[in-house]
Amino acid sequence: MFENRQIPTDITGTFEVIRSDNHLDETSNKNVKYIKQQTAAKWQKEYIPLRNHPNNIEEHYDPYVLFCLFFDDIILNTIVDYSIKYSTSKNRNNFKFDINDLWKWLGIVILSGYHVLPQIDLYWSLDEDKGVSLVRKTMSRN
């Protein structure tokens, strides 16, 4: 199937090469079946350009557009639906949640990755040096 110089080098670990043809061993005149060949893959870094995309993505997309490529209306509505189903399964029947609340929550999550506090509840703190008024005005803690 493969000659020694034709063994693929892009497979990780070891692999088995089985040749379907029998070869004649010249020293003993017996049919010999080659069963196993082991080799390690040789990896190299290679740039693969994206197809149908501009060369410089930063020139054509702002962060919001890139975010919306992954979180479209279908995904966001699915998150809202499953959040409501989860709250119902936990007997929180008065739980109200819609797409606007999800956008607010996502904003708080992104902000909390940028403005890090030691505890989550400190974002709603009334202390001047701890609380974040934008978070407190956007959504209640509970």
Side-chain angles (χ1 to χ4, degrees):
M1 188 167 151
F2 294 109
E3 295 294 324
N4 283 343
R5 61 187 169 278
Q6 294 176 332
I7 294 175
T9 59
D10 59 347
I11 300 172
T12 59
T14 59
F15 62 94
E16 186 173 326
V17 176
I18 300 175
R19 298 183 183 179
S20 60
D21 55 339
N22 291 336
H23 294 280
L24 188 65
D25 187 3
E26 297 171 4
T27 58
S28 62
N29 291 332
K30 294 181 180 177
N31 284 332
V32 176
K33 191 168 191 176
Y34 295 96
I35 295 176
K36 205 169 197 179
Q37 172 103 20
Q38 294 183 355
T39 184
K42 294 177 185 175
W43 294 93
Q44 64 184 18
K45 288 186 178 183
E46 183 177 341
Y47 173 75
I48 300 174
L50 298 173
R51 295 183 194 146
N52 302 325
H53 288 285
N55 290 338
N56 191 353
I57 288 180
E58 293 177 10
E59 292 178 6
H60 301 281
Y61 297 112
D62 64 356
Y64 176 75
V65 173
L66 290 174
F67 180 83
C68 289
L69 288 175
F70 297 98
F71 288 91
D72 60 358
D73 288 337
I74 296 170
I75 296 294
L76 295 175
N77 286 322
T78 303
I79 293 171
V80 168
D81 291 341
Y82 279 104
S83 298
I84 293 170
K85 285 180 183 179
Y86 178 78
S87 69
T88 305
S89 72
K90 296 296 181 182
N91 292 326
R92 294 191 62 202
N93 296 327
N94 60 350
F95 181 73
K96 304 285 186 235
F97 193 66
D98 62 6
I99 194 91
N100 292 326
D101 293 329
L102 178 60
W103 277 111
K104 292 175 187 177
W105 182 80
L106 286 171
I108 291 171
V109 169
I110 292 170
L111 176 71
S112 68
Y114 172 75
H115 181 81
V116 180
L117 292 175
Q119 295 174 338
I120 293 174
D121 59 343
L122 291 178
Y123 289 97
W124 289 270
S125 174
L126 296 174
D127 294 342
E128 189 176 311
D129 61 336
K130 296 177 191 166
V132 180
S133 63
L134 180 64
V135 173
R136 201 170 44 247
K137 291 175 185 175
T138 302
M139 184 177 278
S140 69
R141 187 182 66 180
N142 297 330

